[in-house]
Amino acid sequence: MDRNIQTRRDFIAKTGAIGAAAAGGALFTQETSAAGRDHTKRRICIFTKHLQWMDYKEAADAAKEIGFDGVDIPVRPGGHVLPGKALDDLPRAVEAFRSAGLEVCMITTAINGVDSPHAEAILKTMRELEIPYYRMGYYHYDKEVGIAKSLDNLVPKVKELADMNRQYGVHGAYQNHSGAYLGAPIWDIWYLMRAVDPRWIGCQYDIRHNTVEGGLSWKVDLELIAPWIRTTVIKDFKWGQVDGKWKVVNTFIDEGMVDFDTYYGEIKRLGVGGPISMHFEYPHEKERSFVTPLFKKDLERLRAHIRKAGLS
């Protein structure tokens, strides 16, 4: 048993060293963590949910072939790494992706409080592997107390989680998700985060979901939450009729309603940076030869917008 633990520690040390070299050799401490690094660096990462039917090495090879800078690994129930196995499997996943020359930009979790299952073990492993960012799990309104009281009740929970993030030198981010989710209105997230240090907790801003909810007012929302943004999400959509009802239909980049040129102009004006997690929610076959050209087309279109804005 002790020999297995030592082996795992040696392995984490090795993969952490790879990450430190990629980051300029900095040690992952509170001073040089997500808070201390240059979060304006704009790397485009694939959310490996879309490659999850592959093993880690296959997924790494595919992501590299498509042209991504790095990956966003789901470490959540049903994810590429299961939370209860993160201590062993996350280092293996990280080694596979880093060996392919990819950066592990962030992970996606179900953590939304210090009492979330496996939360501390995951954050500790993140620190050891030098993964600076994670996406949080979602909150929901408590119908028994109403919307306003639901928000008030969550403020201490958010502060506790920010304190734990600070302890491990990582940043947790809450994604704005359209629909009945708490945080679909950006003002929810601002209300929860307004009194906490944005180095440790904030918003993973999703322009697609904000456009669904905010229509033409998304620029106001973005400006409000900008100080708390360290990571962003990219995908596109349009409204369409499905079985006679208006619904959100996911599309390729530039074939939907997201105004990417205006968005990246605002991103530049507000000084928002950090890694970008790219999602592909439109239907696609789970076959590498099928997804490679699709994802590559979307990636090239996104890079064109970033270059046009002078952000590359």
Side-chain angles (χ1 to χ4, degrees):
M1 181 176 177
D2 290 340
R3 185 164 57 253
N4 290 337
I5 292 172
Q6 185 60 44
T7 300
R8 187 177 71 81
R9 286 175 178 168
D10 290 345
F11 176 67
I12 287 174
K14 180 179 73 173
T15 55
I18 295 171
L27 294 175
F28 200 66
T29 64
Q30 283 193 9
E31 288 70 33
T32 58
S33 64
R37 292 180 178 179
D38 178 10
H39 71 273
T40 62
K41 188 178 179 185
R42 213 172 310 277
R43 297 136 300 177
I44 304 177
C45 312
I46 183 171
F47 186 30
T48 68
K49 177 183 86 169
H50 306 294
L51 302 175
Q52 200 168 302
W53 35 275
M54 303 181 186
D55 64 30
Y56 300 143
K57 185 180 185 307
E58 279 185 295
D61 291 342
K64 187 68 175 178
E65 179 186 358
I66 295 166
F68 286 99
D69 304 315
V71 294
D72 169 5
I73 306 171
V75 184
R76 61 184 182 181
H80 220 161
V81 173
L82 299 178
K85 297 184 177 180
L87 287 171
D88 294 317
D89 288 354
L90 185 54
R92 294 190 185 104
V94 167
E95 182 185 42
F97 290 117
R98 286 179 175 163
S99 293
L102 296 163
E103 184 171 346
V104 181
C105 301
M106 64 187 92
I107 64 173
T108 291
T109 74
I111 297 169
N112 63 18
V114 298
D115 56 350
S116 295
H118 313 290
E120 194 155 11
I122 292 170
L123 299 194
K124 182 176 183 292
T125 306
M126 285 179 66
R127 180 180 65 184
E128 292 171 335
L129 293 170
E130 298 206 10
I131 304 170
Y133 306 108
Y134 73 94
R135 193 218 299 178
M136 296 164 54
Y138 296 109
Y139 297 125
H140 298 279
Y141 303 112
D142 183 344
K143 293 180 181 179
E144 296 294 320
V145 301
I147 292 172
K149 188 63 175 175
S150 294
L151 293 171
D152 284 337
N153 288 347
L154 284 169
V155 169
K157 186 171 185 174
V158 169
K159 185 180 183 303
E160 285 179 348
L161 184 57
D163 288 341
M164 188 163 78
N165 292 342
R166 179 178 175 275
Q167 176 186 348
Y168 288 101
V170 299
H171 178 272
Y174 189 89
Q175 180 195 19
N176 57 293
H177 195 297
S178 56
Y181 291 87
L182 187 150
I186 292 287
W187 293 80
D188 283 355
I189 304 175
W190 173 82
Y191 190 85
L192 295 181
M193 307 294 176
R194 70 195 191 283
V196 296
D197 190 331
R199 291 178 299 172
W200 311 117
I201 203 164
C203 175
Q204 185 174 92
Y205 181 79
D206 190 316
I207 179 59
R208 180 267 202 193
H209 284 298
N210 199 191
T211 303
V212 171
E213 293 291 342
L216 300 177
S217 67
W218 63 264
K219 288 192 286 185
V220 176
D221 296 336
L222 176 59
E223 184 157 356
L224 176 70
I225 205 66
W228 286 271
I229 298 173
R230 295 293 182 274
T231 63
T232 56
V233 178
I234 285 293
K235 47 188 179 283
D236 206 350
F237 85 102
K238 62 183 178 183
W239 288 101
Q241 285 206 339
V242 180
D243 298 327
K245 295 182 179 180
W246 286 101
K247 294 185 178 181
V248 170
V249 178
N250 294 300
T251 70
F252 294 111
I253 298 292
D254 289 339
E255 296 182 16
M257 299 177 68
V258 174
D259 183 350
F260 288 101
D261 285 341
T262 301
Y263 168 66
Y264 277 109
E266 290 298 293
I267 288 289
K268 184 176 183 179
R269 181 180 71 84
L270 296 168
V272 173
I276 300 163
S277 182
M278 199 166 184
H279 295 197
F280 306 90
E281 302 296 350
Y282 46 77
H284 56 263
E285 298 293 331
K286 292 182 178 180
E287 173 62 47
R288 181 170 170 178
S289 62
F290 185 86
V291 300
T292 297
L294 294 185
F295 293 178
K296 186 174 289 189
K297 178 172 73 171
D298 256 3
L299 178 59
E300 289 171 352
R301 289 179 176 184
L302 176 59
R303 288 196 191 280
H305 287 290
I306 291 172
R307 286 195 301 270
K308 186 176 180 180
L311 291 170
S312 58

